[in-house]
Amino acid sequence: LSEILTNEGLTEGLIALEYRGLTGNELTIINESFPRIKFIDGTSIIDQLREVKTDEEITFLSKASSIAESSLLYTFENMKIGMSELETSQIYQKRVIDQGGDNTFSVFTFSSRAAFSDTVPSTSNRLNNGDMIRADVGCSYFGYHADMSRSAVMGKCDDQVKSVYKAILSGLTEAINVSKSGVKCSDIFNMAVSSTRKAGLLSYTRHHCGHGIGLFIHEGPLISSNNKAQLQDGMVICIETPFYHLGWGGLQVEDTILIRDEGNILLTNSPRKLLCL
């Protein structure tokens, strides 16, 4: 930072700096190195600027999504009865590394543990015939993140699982269909929730149904009921409609899309159907 400021001739005045990740000691060193500069916290400004991606950022985000998606499909293909959640997660993680990605998170939960969001994979919970599988995974490529999810069943799928999945898939699909530049985040959220309810999950409730993604897994804009901000051409967002029910389990489907003026482009392209393994 010191080298950049000096080379650019920025040695006095007011400079907004991203404070995220800086320690108090580092801030002290920065202020002492440039006594004629007044540094202020510009994190919120930079977060807003990050919402719209450059072409290079879109390339990295597309690659990260491709690595995560292919790794997830590979993991599903190699899952076997008796395998633990952790063993499943390790298959995914190795596949990510083999493709040049960096691991960030990989949540594989079976049966009733599928209701636990963002949990640590278990070594004791092992896959049985008839178990539902909720996979919420990510990775990064050159610092840019992926975040997606799919659900599956080992063996025969019962009617309740089919019904719940049909509802959340309807919510996701309709929300993606209306996502384009100029549409309010709150309208996308309302579409996701109302479509899920119409498809059968009458009491479906969410705090958000998606988020931006980039250098961080969760960036703006947040797809929530009270966010009236409009999508812009070049934003990359994740749309999701997960369902968790303690004691029963959980199902999830999530895709990443690139917002354009005329619509959107899917960065995750695998079939969204409920997989039977």
Side-chain angles (χ1 to χ4, degrees):
L1 175 63
S2 176
E3 183 180 342
I4 290 171
L5 291 174
T6 301
N7 290 344
E8 294 296 325
L10 301 173
T11 57
E12 61 181 325
L14 181 67
I15 290 182
L17 182 67
E18 183 179 12
Y19 279 17
R20 183 191 289 113
L22 290 175
T23 66
N25 184 54
E26 288 167 341
L27 282 171
T28 298
I29 293 171
I30 290 169
N31 281 298
E32 289 177 349
S33 300
F34 296 91
R36 297 171 62 187
I37 293 178
K38 180 181 180 181
F39 291 101
I40 61 171
D41 188 357
T43 302
S44 62
I45 299 171
I46 294 172
D47 282 346
Q48 187 175 2
L49 291 172
R50 281 197 181 122
E51 291 185 2
V52 176
K53 271 52 182 185
T54 65
D55 290 342
E56 184 179 40
E57 289 180 305
I58 291 168
T59 298
F60 289 150
L61 286 163
S62 298
K63 180 63 175 179
S65 293
S66 175
I67 292 172
E69 187 165 44
S70 62
S71 298
L72 178 56
L73 295 177
Y74 177 83
T75 304
F76 279 143
E77 291 171 0
N78 287 275
M79 292 178 70
K80 296 179 176 62
I81 289 176
M83 195 174 278
S84 72
E85 292 175 356
L86 180 60
E87 289 168 337
T88 305
S89 178
Q90 288 170 338
I91 293 173
Y92 172 84
Q93 291 172 6
K94 183 179 184 303
R95 191 67 173 181
V96 166
I97 293 171
D98 288 345
Q99 295 182 89
D102 293 311
N103 281 297
T104 54
F105 70 98
S106 51
V107 178
F108 288 88
T109 46
F110 309 154
S111 189
S112 61
R113 271 180 53 86
F116 300 162
S117 174
D118 299 330
T119 191
V120 176
S122 167
T123 57
S124 59
N125 191 34
R126 297 187 175 274
L127 190 59
N128 294 305
N129 192 40
D131 280 354
M132 70 182 80
I133 304 158
R134 186 178 64 83
D136 185 16
V137 300
C139 70
S140 67
Y141 182 78
F142 278 84
Y144 286 84
H145 287 268
D147 181 11
M148 66 165 298
S149 61
R150 293 289 185 268
S151 296
V153 174
M154 176 57 74
K156 188 177 180 180
C157 179
D158 66 40
D159 290 339
Q160 185 179 9
V161 172
K162 290 179 180 177
S163 176
V164 170
Y165 190 79
K166 180 182 177 182
I168 65 171
L169 178 58
S170 176
L172 178 88
T173 302
E174 293 302 318
I176 290 176
N177 287 343
V178 301
S179 296
K180 64 178 181 178
S181 181
V183 176
K184 293 179 181 178
C185 294
S186 56
D187 290 342
I188 298 170
F189 173 88
N190 292 333
M191 177 62 75
V193 172
S194 63
S195 297
T196 302
R197 289 173 178 172
K198 287 178 183 177
L201 275 179
L202 302 181
S203 60
Y204 186 72
T205 304
R206 286 286 295 166
H207 293 98
H208 74 85
C209 286
H211 54 86
I213 190 167
L215 286 170
F216 298 91
I217 294 174
H218 288 90
E219 293 187 352
L222 186 67
I223 309 301
S224 63
S225 61
N226 59 358
N227 187 3
K228 306 301 181 183
Q230 295 181 349
L231 296 182
Q232 300 178 54
D233 186 272
M235 286 182 170
V236 177
I237 61 174
C238 299
I239 304 290
E240 58 183 320
T241 50
F243 176 77
Y244 314 108
H245 187 78
L246 292 175
W248 178 74
L251 295 166
Q252 185 172 359
V253 57
E254 178 180 11
D255 276 313
T256 304
I257 60 176
L258 167 63
I259 300 300
R260 289 304 189 198
D261 288 333
E262 64 278 5
N264 63 74
I265 300 170
L266 283 164
L267 300 189
T268 43
N269 295 287
S270 60
R272 297 181 193 136
K273 66 180 181 178
L274 182 65
L275 299 173
C276 294
L277 308 182

